Amino acid sequence: MNPLPVAAEHVKAYTGLLRLAVRLLSSEIDLLLYRQMLNADAHTRDDHRPLADPGLAERPEGEALEELAAEFCRLFIGPQPICPPYASAHQGEVKLGGRSARDIDAFMEHHQLRPVLRPQDAVLDDDHLAVELALLAHLYSVAVGTADSDLTTEQAWRAAHQLLHVHIWPWADSYLKQLEGSAEWAPYTTIAHLVRRVLQEAADWPADLLTLPAKENIMVTVYSTTWCGYCDRLKKQLDRENIPYTEINIEQDPEAAALVEKVNNGNQVVPTVVFTDGTAMTNPGVLQVKEHLAKTA
């Protein structure tokens, strides 16, 4: 069972968006990234917010990249940037080495973290929004098990909650509104809008992980195989609904395979779900599982 208070796949998707924001806020768009955004737009719904601005997409690539480079400098670099992406600048503090930068440095030191940025990234201090979003993405990745760290899942989740509520959201909410209103071109308008929505939702996530029920309280057993796509789908649905279950791979357990055959007229059909009251279901949906649990509660 997934101990996170939200679906792991949901967190992974948001982490990917945060990493794109880090790239866009920290350096100019190059040809490879521009083409990747064009390709992403071509494979998404018509009603989505585009990453590559439709107006620029009609121009030659070189001309579009020049326009985006000028936009990056106008927004973030200056000499008088209209949206400097630093907590200190947005909150009227000393830009370099101010309280916001010292606070985020202390946070990183406490959790033994460093942001992964490139030498060419235009980042002067650690209260840059790209630094903070890179840290948040890393902590979420650790929490869902896609990044290595000395932190446990619980430590990473709690650290992400602290980072968001103490260091990011107090200033990023109004900053991203300002950026969306000031930018002339996507992807800057789009990423400001999407990241603000992601952070707004993440701010409502609980600080604590779910308490996993004791094994004796688990009322669902899922019989599966390693190659079964329907099994993976059902397990993800159970995780999303916070329904605890025990999984048994029938390829590794002859007795379990025999039980599945008995339930399914001699066939090894998976997923087969068996409840503690003895009821069995073959390839059920999560709603069927929930309905049966409600009846037997």
Side-chain angles (χ1 to χ4, degrees), residues 204-261:
D204 290 332
W205 293 347
D208 297 318
L209 300 183
L210 298 174
T211 301
L212 299 182
K215 189 172 183 179
E216 58 267 22
N217 295 328
I218 295 177
M219 301 176 65
V220 177
T221 301
V222 178
Y223 293 89
S224 66
T225 63
T226 55
W227 46 263
C228 173
Y230 293 111
C231 301
D232 291 339
R233 183 181 66 180
L234 177 61
K235 289 184 291 182
K236 288 178 181 178
Q237 292 173 337
L238 294 172
D239 287 340
R240 187 176 64 245
E241 298 295 331
N242 296 323
I243 299 173
Y245 60 90
T246 297
E247 181 183 8
I248 299 178
N249 186 341
I250 66 171
E251 295 173 308
Q252 301 172 358
D253 190 326
E255 292 184 4
L259 184 150
V260 169
E261 290 178 358

Short mmCIF file of all heavy atoms in Angstrom, two decimals, residues 204-261:
data_model
loop_
_atom_site.label_atom_id
_atom_site.label_comp_id
_atom_site.label_asym_id
_atom_site.label_seq_id
_atom_site.Cartn_x
_atom_site.Cartn_y
_atom_site.Cartn_z
N ASP A 204 -2.17 21.80 0.14
CA ASP A 204 -3.26 21.18 0.88
C ASP A 204 -2.97 19.72 1.26
O ASP A 204 -3.77 19.11 1.98
CB ASP A 204 -4.56 21.22 0.07
CG ASP A 204 -5.11 22.63 -0.06
OD1 ASP A 204 -4.85 23.45 0.84
OD2 ASP A 204 -5.79 22.92 -1.07
N TRP A 205 -1.86 19.19 0.76
CA TRP A 205 -1.53 17.80 1.12
C TRP A 205 -1.12 17.73 2.59
O TRP A 205 -0.41 18.61 3.09
CB TRP A 205 -0.38 17.28 0.25
CG TRP A 205 -0.73 17.13 -1.19
CD1 TRP A 205 -1.98 17.18 -1.76
CD2 TRP A 205 0.18 16.95 -2.28
NE1 TRP A 205 -1.90 17.02 -3.12
CE2 TRP A 205 -0.59 16.88 -3.47
CE3 TRP A 205 1.57 16.83 -2.37
CZ2 TRP A 205 0.00 16.69 -4.71
CZ3 TRP A 205 2.15 16.63 -3.61
CH2 TRP A 205 1.37 16.57 -4.77
N PRO A 206 -1.54 16.70 3.30
CA PRO A 206 -1.18 16.57 4.72
C PRO A 206 0.33 16.44 4.91
O PRO A 206 1.05 15.95 4.03
CB PRO A 206 -1.90 15.29 5.16
CG PRO A 206 -2.96 15.07 4.14
CD PRO A 206 -2.43 15.62 2.85
N ALA A 207 0.80 16.85 6.07
CA ALA A 207 2.23 16.76 6.37
C ALA A 207 2.64 15.35 6.74
O ALA A 207 3.82 14.99 6.63
CB ALA A 207 2.59 17.71 7.51
N ASP A 208 1.68 14.53 7.20
CA ASP A 208 2.01 13.20 7.69
C ASP A 208 1.62 12.13 6.68
O ASP A 208 0.64 12.27 5.93
CB ASP A 208 1.28 12.93 9.01
CG ASP A 208 1.72 13.89 10.11
OD1 ASP A 208 2.94 14.15 10.20
OD2 ASP A 208 0.86 14.38 10.85
N LEU A 209 2.37 11.04 6.69
CA LEU A 209 2.02 9.89 5.88
C LEU A 209 0.84 9.16 6.50
O LEU A 209 0.50 9.36 7.67
CB LEU A 209 3.22 8.94 5.77
CG LEU A 209 4.50 9.50 5.15
CD1 LEU A 209 5.55 8.42 5.06
CD2 LEU A 209 4.23 10.07 3.77
N LEU A 210 0.23 8.30 5.68
CA LEU A 210 -0.85 7.48 6.20
C LEU A 210 -0.30 6.43 7.16
O LEU A 210 0.82 5.96 6.99
CB LEU A 210 -1.57 6.77 5.04
CG LEU A 210 -2.24 7.68 4.00
CD1 LEU A 210 -2.75 6.84 2.86
CD2 LEU A 210 -3.37 8.46 4.64
N THR A 211 -1.08 6.08 8.13
CA THR A 211 -0.72 4.99 9.03
C THR A 211 -1.21 3.69 8.40
O THR A 211 -2.41 3.49 8.22
CB THR A 211 -1.38 5.18 10.41
OG1 THR A 211 -0.93 6.42 10.95
CG2 THR A 211 -1.00 4.04 11.33
N LEU A 212 -0.27 2.83 8.05
CA LEU A 212 -0.64 1.58 7.41
C LEU A 212 -1.30 0.65 8.42
O LEU A 212 -0.81 0.49 9.54
CB LEU A 212 0.60 0.90 6.82
CG LEU A 212 1.34 1.70 5.75
CD1 LEU A 212 2.50 0.89 5.21
CD2 LEU A 212 0.41 2.10 4.63
N PRO A 213 -2.39 0.02 8.04
CA PRO A 213 -3.06 -0.87 8.98
C PRO A 213 -2.24 -2.11 9.26
O PRO A 213 -1.42 -2.52 8.44
CB PRO A 213 -4.36 -1.22 8.26
CG PRO A 213 -4.08 -0.99 6.82
CD PRO A 213 -3.07 0.11 6.75
N ALA A 214 -2.45 -2.70 10.42
CA ALA A 214 -1.76 -3.94 10.76
C ALA A 214 -2.18 -5.03 9.79
O ALA A 214 -3.29 -5.03 9.26
CB ALA A 214 -2.10 -4.34 12.18
N LYS A 215 -1.29 -5.98 9.59
CA LYS A 215 -1.55 -7.02 8.59
C LYS A 215 -2.84 -7.77 8.87
O LYS A 215 -3.57 -8.16 7.96
CB LYS A 215 -0.36 -7.99 8.54
CG LYS A 215 -0.44 -8.97 7.38
CD LYS A 215 0.83 -9.77 7.24
CE LYS A 215 0.75 -10.69 6.04
NZ LYS A 215 1.98 -11.48 5.87
N GLU A 216 -3.14 -7.98 10.17
CA GLU A 216 -4.34 -8.74 10.50
C GLU A 216 -5.61 -7.98 10.13
O GLU A 216 -6.69 -8.56 10.07
CB GLU A 216 -4.36 -9.10 11.99
CG GLU A 216 -4.29 -7.89 12.91
CD GLU A 216 -2.88 -7.54 13.32
OE1 GLU A 216 -1.95 -7.95 12.59
OE2 GLU A 216 -2.68 -6.88 14.35
N ASN A 217 -5.52 -6.67 9.87
CA ASN A 217 -6.68 -5.88 9.50
C ASN A 217 -6.88 -5.76 8.00
O ASN A 217 -7.83 -5.13 7.55
CB ASN A 217 -6.59 -4.49 10.11
CG ASN A 217 -6.65 -4.52 11.63
OD1 ASN A 217 -7.31 -5.38 12.20
ND2 ASN A 217 -5.97 -3.59 12.27
N ILE A 218 -5.96 -6.32 7.23
CA ILE A 218 -6.07 -6.27 5.77
C ILE A 218 -7.10 -7.29 5.31
O ILE A 218 -6.99 -8.48 5.63
CB ILE A 218 -4.70 -6.52 5.11
CG1 ILE A 218 -3.74 -5.39 5.48
CG2 ILE A 218 -4.83 -6.62 3.60
CD1 ILE A 218 -2.35 -5.56 4.95
N MET A 219 -8.12 -6.84 4.59
CA MET A 219 -9.25 -7.69 4.24
C MET A 219 -9.26 -8.11 2.77
O MET A 219 -10.18 -8.78 2.33
CB MET A 219 -10.56 -6.95 4.56
CG MET A 219 -10.69 -6.56 6.02
SD MET A 219 -12.18 -5.58 6.34
CE MET A 219 -13.45 -6.79 5.97
N VAL A 220 -8.25 -7.72 2.01
CA VAL A 220 -8.22 -7.99 0.58
C VAL A 220 -6.90 -8.66 0.22
O VAL A 220 -5.83 -8.18 0.61
CB VAL A 220 -8.38 -6.69 -0.24
CG1 VAL A 220 -8.27 -6.97 -1.73
CG2 VAL A 220 -9.69 -6.00 0.08
N THR A 221 -6.97 -9.75 -0.53
CA THR A 221 -5.77 -10.39 -1.08
C THR A 221 -5.87 -10.36 -2.59
O THR A 221 -6.89 -10.79 -3.16
CB THR A 221 -5.63 -11.84 -0.59
OG1 THR A 221 -5.55 -11.85 0.84
CG2 THR A 221 -4.37 -12.48 -1.16
N VAL A 222 -4.84 -9.84 -3.24
CA VAL A 222 -4.80 -9.75 -4.70
C VAL A 222 -3.82 -10.80 -5.22
O VAL A 222 -2.63 -10.76 -4.89
CB VAL A 222 -4.37 -8.35 -5.17
CG1 VAL A 222 -4.29 -8.32 -6.70
CG2 VAL A 222 -5.34 -7.29 -4.67
N TYR A 223 -4.33 -11.75 -5.99
CA TYR A 223 -3.49 -12.76 -6.62
C TYR A 223 -3.12 -12.24 -8.01
O TYR A 223 -4.01 -11.88 -8.80
CB TYR A 223 -4.21 -14.10 -6.70
CG TYR A 223 -4.45 -14.71 -5.33
CD1 TYR A 223 -5.60 -14.41 -4.61
CD2 TYR A 223 -3.51 -15.58 -4.76
CE1 TYR A 223 -5.81 -14.96 -3.34
CE2 TYR A 223 -3.72 -16.13 -3.50
CZ TYR A 223 -4.86 -15.81 -2.80
OH TYR A 223 -5.07 -16.35 -1.56
N SER A 224 -1.82 -12.21 -8.31
CA SER A 224 -1.36 -11.52 -9.51
C SER A 224 -0.19 -12.27 -10.14
O SER A 224 0.25 -13.32 -9.65
CB SER A 224 -0.94 -10.09 -9.17
OG SER A 224 0.21 -10.12 -8.33
N THR A 225 0.33 -11.71 -11.23
CA THR A 225 1.59 -12.12 -11.85
C THR A 225 2.39 -10.86 -12.17
O THR A 225 1.86 -9.75 -12.15
CB THR A 225 1.36 -12.93 -13.15
OG1 THR A 225 0.71 -12.07 -14.11
CG2 THR A 225 0.52 -14.16 -12.89
N THR A 226 3.65 -11.04 -12.50
CA THR A 226 4.51 -9.88 -12.80
C THR A 226 4.16 -9.23 -14.14
O THR A 226 4.45 -8.05 -14.34
CB THR A 226 5.98 -10.32 -12.83
OG1 THR A 226 6.13 -11.39 -13.77
CG2 THR A 226 6.45 -10.78 -11.46
N TRP A 227 3.53 -10.00 -15.03
CA TRP A 227 3.28 -9.48 -16.38
C TRP A 227 1.86 -8.96 -16.59
O TRP A 227 1.51 -8.52 -17.68
CB TRP A 227 3.54 -10.59 -17.42
CG TRP A 227 2.92 -11.91 -17.04
CD1 TRP A 227 3.53 -12.97 -16.42
CD2 TRP A 227 1.56 -12.30 -17.25
NE1 TRP A 227 2.64 -14.00 -16.23
CE2 TRP A 227 1.43 -13.62 -16.72
CE3 TRP A 227 0.44 -11.69 -17.81
CZ2 TRP A 227 0.22 -14.32 -16.74
CZ3 TRP A 227 -0.76 -12.39 -17.84
CH2 TRP A 227 -0.87 -13.68 -17.30
N CYS A 228 1.04 -9.00 -15.56
CA CYS A 228 -0.39 -8.70 -15.69
C CYS A 228 -0.66 -7.21 -15.60
O CYS A 228 -0.56 -6.61 -14.52
CB CYS A 228 -1.17 -9.46 -14.62
SG CYS A 228 -2.91 -9.03 -14.56
N GLY A 229 -1.04 -6.59 -16.72
CA GLY A 229 -1.37 -5.17 -16.71
C GLY A 229 -2.63 -4.86 -15.92
O GLY A 229 -2.72 -3.82 -15.26
N TYR A 230 -3.62 -5.75 -15.97
CA TYR A 230 -4.84 -5.53 -15.20
C TYR A 230 -4.56 -5.55 -13.70
O TYR A 230 -5.20 -4.84 -12.92
CB TYR A 230 -5.87 -6.60 -15.55
CG TYR A 230 -6.40 -6.51 -16.97
CD1 TYR A 230 -6.08 -7.48 -17.91
CD2 TYR A 230 -7.21 -5.45 -17.36
CE1 TYR A 230 -6.56 -7.40 -19.21
CE2 TYR A 230 -7.70 -5.35 -18.66
CZ TYR A 230 -7.36 -6.33 -19.59
OH TYR A 230 -7.82 -6.23 -20.87
N CYS A 231 -3.58 -6.39 -13.31
CA CYS A 231 -3.19 -6.43 -11.89
C CYS A 231 -2.59 -5.10 -11.47
O CYS A 231 -2.92 -4.56 -10.40
CB CYS A 231 -2.18 -7.56 -11.65
SG CYS A 231 -2.77 -9.21 -12.08
N ASP A 232 -1.69 -4.58 -12.29
CA ASP A 232 -1.06 -3.29 -11.98
C ASP A 232 -2.10 -2.19 -11.87
O ASP A 232 -2.03 -1.33 -10.98
CB ASP A 232 -0.02 -2.93 -13.05
CG ASP A 232 1.19 -3.83 -13.02
OD1 ASP A 232 1.44 -4.45 -11.96
OD2 ASP A 232 1.89 -3.91 -14.05
N ARG A 233 -3.07 -2.21 -12.79
CA ARG A 233 -4.11 -1.18 -12.76
C ARG A 233 -4.93 -1.27 -11.48
O ARG A 233 -5.20 -0.25 -10.82
CB ARG A 233 -5.03 -1.33 -13.97
CG ARG A 233 -6.11 -0.25 -14.04
CD ARG A 233 -7.01 -0.45 -15.24
NE ARG A 233 -7.79 -1.68 -15.12
CZ ARG A 233 -8.66 -2.09 -16.04
NH1 ARG A 233 -8.84 -1.39 -17.14
NH2 ARG A 233 -9.33 -3.22 -15.87
N LEU A 234 -5.33 -2.49 -11.09
CA LEU A 234 -6.13 -2.65 -9.87
C LEU A 234 -5.34 -2.21 -8.65
O LEU A 234 -5.88 -1.52 -7.76
CB LEU A 234 -6.58 -4.10 -9.72
CG LEU A 234 -7.37 -4.41 -8.44
CD1 LEU A 234 -8.65 -3.58 -8.39
CD2 LEU A 234 -7.68 -5.90 -8.35
N LYS A 235 -4.07 -2.57 -8.57
CA LYS A 235 -3.25 -2.18 -7.41
C LYS A 235 -3.12 -0.66 -7.32
O LYS A 235 -3.18 -0.10 -6.22
CB LYS A 235 -1.87 -2.85 -7.49
CG LYS A 235 -1.91 -4.35 -7.24
CD LYS A 235 -0.52 -4.96 -7.23
CE LYS A 235 0.10 -4.95 -8.60
NZ LYS A 235 1.44 -5.59 -8.63
N LYS A 236 -2.96 -0.02 -8.44
CA LYS A 236 -2.87 1.45 -8.44
C LYS A 236 -4.19 2.05 -7.95
O LYS A 236 -4.20 3.04 -7.22
CB LYS A 236 -2.53 1.97 -9.83
CG LYS A 236 -1.08 1.70 -10.25
CD LYS A 236 -0.82 2.20 -11.66
CE LYS A 236 0.61 1.90 -12.09
NZ LYS A 236 0.87 2.35 -13.48
N GLN A 237 -5.31 1.46 -8.39
CA GLN A 237 -6.61 1.97 -7.95
C GLN A 237 -6.81 1.76 -6.45
O GLN A 237 -7.32 2.64 -5.76
CB GLN A 237 -7.72 1.27 -8.73
CG GLN A 237 -7.76 1.64 -10.21
CD GLN A 237 -8.76 0.79 -10.98
OE1 GLN A 237 -9.12 -0.31 -10.58
NE2 GLN A 237 -9.21 1.31 -12.12
N LEU A 238 -6.39 0.61 -5.94
CA LEU A 238 -6.49 0.35 -4.51
C LEU A 238 -5.62 1.32 -3.72
O LEU A 238 -6.02 1.82 -2.67
CB LEU A 238 -6.10 -1.10 -4.21
CG LEU A 238 -7.04 -2.18 -4.76
CD1 LEU A 238 -6.43 -3.56 -4.56
CD2 LEU A 238 -8.42 -2.10 -4.13
N ASP A 239 -4.41 1.58 -4.23
CA ASP A 239 -3.52 2.54 -3.58
C ASP A 239 -4.16 3.92 -3.54
O ASP A 239 -4.12 4.61 -2.51
CB ASP A 239 -2.19 2.62 -4.32
CG ASP A 239 -1.31 1.40 -4.10
OD1 ASP A 239 -1.54 0.67 -3.12
OD2 ASP A 239 -0.40 1.17 -4.92
N ARG A 240 -4.75 4.32 -4.68
CA ARG A 240 -5.35 5.65 -4.75
C ARG A 240 -6.52 5.79 -3.77
O ARG A 240 -6.74 6.86 -3.21
CB ARG A 240 -5.83 5.92 -6.18
CG ARG A 240 -6.33 7.34 -6.39
CD ARG A 240 -6.69 7.62 -7.82
NE ARG A 240 -7.80 6.81 -8.27
CZ ARG A 240 -7.73 5.89 -9.22
NH1 ARG A 240 -6.58 5.66 -9.83
NH2 ARG A 240 -8.79 5.19 -9.59
N GLU A 241 -7.24 4.70 -3.57
CA GLU A 241 -8.40 4.73 -2.66
C GLU A 241 -8.01 4.38 -1.23
O GLU A 241 -8.87 4.28 -0.35
CB GLU A 241 -9.46 3.76 -3.16
CG GLU A 241 -10.03 4.09 -4.53
CD GLU A 241 -10.80 5.40 -4.53
OE1 GLU A 241 -11.35 5.77 -3.48
OE2 GLU A 241 -10.83 6.06 -5.59
N ASN A 242 -6.68 4.18 -1.00
CA ASN A 242 -6.18 3.86 0.34
C ASN A 242 -6.81 2.59 0.91
O ASN A 242 -7.14 2.51 2.09
CB ASN A 242 -6.40 5.03 1.30
CG ASN A 242 -5.61 6.26 0.89
OD1 ASN A 242 -4.49 6.13 0.40
ND2 ASN A 242 -6.19 7.43 1.06
N ILE A 243 -7.00 1.59 0.04
CA ILE A 243 -7.51 0.28 0.46
C ILE A 243 -6.33 -0.66 0.65
O ILE A 243 -5.62 -0.98 -0.32
CB ILE A 243 -8.49 -0.29 -0.58
CG1 ILE A 243 -9.70 0.64 -0.74
CG2 ILE A 243 -8.94 -1.70 -0.18
CD1 ILE A 243 -10.64 0.23 -1.86
N PRO A 244 -6.05 -1.10 1.86
CA PRO A 244 -4.90 -1.99 2.09
C PRO A 244 -5.15 -3.38 1.51
O PRO A 244 -6.28 -3.86 1.46
CB PRO A 244 -4.81 -2.04 3.62
CG PRO A 244 -6.18 -1.76 4.10
CD PRO A 244 -6.79 -0.81 3.11
N TYR A 245 -4.09 -4.02 1.04
CA TYR A 245 -4.23 -5.35 0.46
C TYR A 245 -2.91 -6.11 0.59
O TYR A 245 -1.84 -5.52 0.75
CB TYR A 245 -4.64 -5.27 -1.02
CG TYR A 245 -3.65 -4.52 -1.89
CD1 TYR A 245 -2.60 -5.18 -2.52
CD2 TYR A 245 -3.77 -3.15 -2.08
CE1 TYR A 245 -1.70 -4.49 -3.32
CE2 TYR A 245 -2.88 -2.45 -2.87
CZ TYR A 245 -1.84 -3.13 -3.49
OH TYR A 245 -0.93 -2.44 -4.26
N THR A 246 -3.03 -7.42 0.52
CA THR A 246 -1.87 -8.29 0.43
C THR A 246 -1.78 -8.79 -1.00
O THR A 246 -2.80 -9.19 -1.58
CB THR A 246 -1.98 -9.47 1.40
OG1 THR A 246 -2.01 -8.98 2.74
CG2 THR A 246 -0.80 -10.43 1.25
N GLU A 247 -0.60 -8.78 -1.59
CA GLU A 247 -0.42 -9.27 -2.95
C GLU A 247 0.34 -10.60 -2.93
O GLU A 247 1.35 -10.73 -2.22
CB GLU A 247 0.34 -8.25 -3.80
CG GLU A 247 0.54 -8.72 -5.24
CD GLU A 247 1.37 -7.74 -6.06
OE1 GLU A 247 1.92 -6.78 -5.47
OE2 GLU A 247 1.48 -7.95 -7.28
N ILE A 248 -0.13 -11.55 -3.69
CA ILE A 248 0.55 -12.84 -3.81
C ILE A 248 0.76 -13.14 -5.29
O ILE A 248 -0.20 -13.15 -6.08
CB ILE A 248 -0.26 -13.98 -3.15
CG1 ILE A 248 -0.44 -13.70 -1.65
CG2 ILE A 248 0.42 -15.33 -3.36
CD1 ILE A 248 -1.27 -14.74 -0.93
N ASN A 249 2.00 -13.39 -5.66
CA ASN A 249 2.35 -13.72 -7.05
C ASN A 249 2.18 -15.21 -7.24
O ASN A 249 2.91 -16.02 -6.66
CB ASN A 249 3.80 -13.31 -7.32
CG ASN A 249 4.20 -13.48 -8.77
OD1 ASN A 249 3.55 -14.22 -9.52
ND2 ASN A 249 5.27 -12.81 -9.18
N ILE A 250 1.23 -15.62 -8.07
CA ILE A 250 0.94 -17.04 -8.23
C ILE A 250 2.04 -17.78 -8.98
O ILE A 250 2.12 -19.01 -8.93
CB ILE A 250 -0.41 -17.26 -8.93
CG1 ILE A 250 -0.38 -16.75 -10.39
CG2 ILE A 250 -1.54 -16.61 -8.15
CD1 ILE A 250 -1.62 -17.14 -11.19
N GLU A 251 2.91 -17.04 -9.67
CA GLU A 251 4.05 -17.68 -10.34
C GLU A 251 5.07 -18.19 -9.34
O GLU A 251 5.87 -19.07 -9.66
CB GLU A 251 4.72 -16.68 -11.29
CG GLU A 251 3.82 -16.23 -12.44
CD GLU A 251 4.46 -15.13 -13.26
OE1 GLU A 251 4.89 -14.12 -12.68
OE2 GLU A 251 4.55 -15.29 -14.49
N GLN A 252 5.05 -17.65 -8.15
CA GLN A 252 6.02 -18.03 -7.12
C GLN A 252 5.38 -18.83 -5.98
O GLN A 252 6.05 -19.16 -5.01
CB GLN A 252 6.68 -16.77 -6.56
CG GLN A 252 7.42 -15.94 -7.61
CD GLN A 252 7.90 -14.60 -7.08
OE1 GLN A 252 7.65 -14.26 -5.92
NE2 GLN A 252 8.59 -13.85 -7.92
N ASP A 253 4.10 -19.10 -6.08
CA ASP A 253 3.38 -19.78 -4.99
C ASP A 253 2.41 -20.80 -5.58
O ASP A 253 1.30 -20.44 -5.99
CB ASP A 253 2.62 -18.74 -4.15
CG ASP A 253 2.06 -19.31 -2.86
OD1 ASP A 253 1.66 -20.49 -2.87
OD2 ASP A 253 1.99 -18.57 -1.87
N PRO A 254 2.80 -22.08 -5.65
CA PRO A 254 1.94 -23.11 -6.25
C PRO A 254 0.58 -23.23 -5.57
O PRO A 254 -0.43 -23.47 -6.24
CB PRO A 254 2.76 -24.39 -6.08
CG PRO A 254 4.18 -23.92 -5.98
CD PRO A 254 4.11 -22.60 -5.26
N GLU A 255 0.53 -23.07 -4.24
CA GLU A 255 -0.75 -23.17 -3.54
C GLU A 255 -1.68 -22.02 -3.95
O GLU A 255 -2.89 -22.22 -4.12
CB GLU A 255 -0.53 -23.15 -2.03
CG GLU A 255 0.17 -24.41 -1.50
CD GLU A 255 0.29 -24.39 0.00
OE1 GLU A 255 -0.24 -23.45 0.65
OE2 GLU A 255 0.89 -25.33 0.56
N ALA A 256 -1.11 -20.83 -4.12
CA ALA A 256 -1.91 -19.70 -4.56
C ALA A 256 -2.41 -19.92 -5.99
O ALA A 256 -3.56 -19.60 -6.31
CB ALA A 256 -1.09 -18.42 -4.48
N ALA A 257 -1.56 -20.49 -6.84
CA ALA A 257 -1.97 -20.77 -8.22
C ALA A 257 -3.12 -21.77 -8.24
O ALA A 257 -4.08 -21.64 -9.02
CB ALA A 257 -0.78 -21.31 -9.01
N ALA A 258 -3.05 -22.78 -7.36
CA ALA A 258 -4.13 -23.77 -7.28
C ALA A 258 -5.43 -23.14 -6.81
O ALA A 258 -6.52 -23.47 -7.30
CB ALA A 258 -3.71 -24.90 -6.35
N LEU A 259 -5.33 -22.22 -5.86
CA LEU A 259 -6.53 -21.54 -5.38
C LEU A 259 -7.17 -20.73 -6.49
O LEU A 259 -8.40 -20.75 -6.66
CB LEU A 259 -6.17 -20.64 -4.20
CG LEU A 259 -7.33 -19.92 -3.49
CD1 LEU A 259 -7.01 -19.72 -2.02
CD2 LEU A 259 -7.62 -18.57 -4.13
N VAL A 260 -6.35 -20.01 -7.27
CA VAL A 260 -6.88 -19.21 -8.38
C VAL A 260 -7.55 -20.11 -9.41
O VAL A 260 -8.62 -19.78 -9.95
CB VAL A 260 -5.75 -18.37 -9.01
CG1 VAL A 260 -6.21 -17.74 -10.32
CG2 VAL A 260 -5.29 -17.29 -8.04
N GLU A 261 -6.95 -21.26 -9.70
CA GLU A 261 -7.55 -22.20 -10.64
C GLU A 261 -8.90 -22.69 -10.13
O GLU A 261 -9.88 -22.83 -10.89
CB GLU A 261 -6.61 -23.38 -10.88
CG GLU A 261 -5.37 -23.03 -11.68
CD GLU A 261 -4.45 -24.22 -11.85
OE1 GLU A 261 -4.77 -25.31 -11.31
OE2 GLU A 261 -3.40 -24.07 -12.52
#
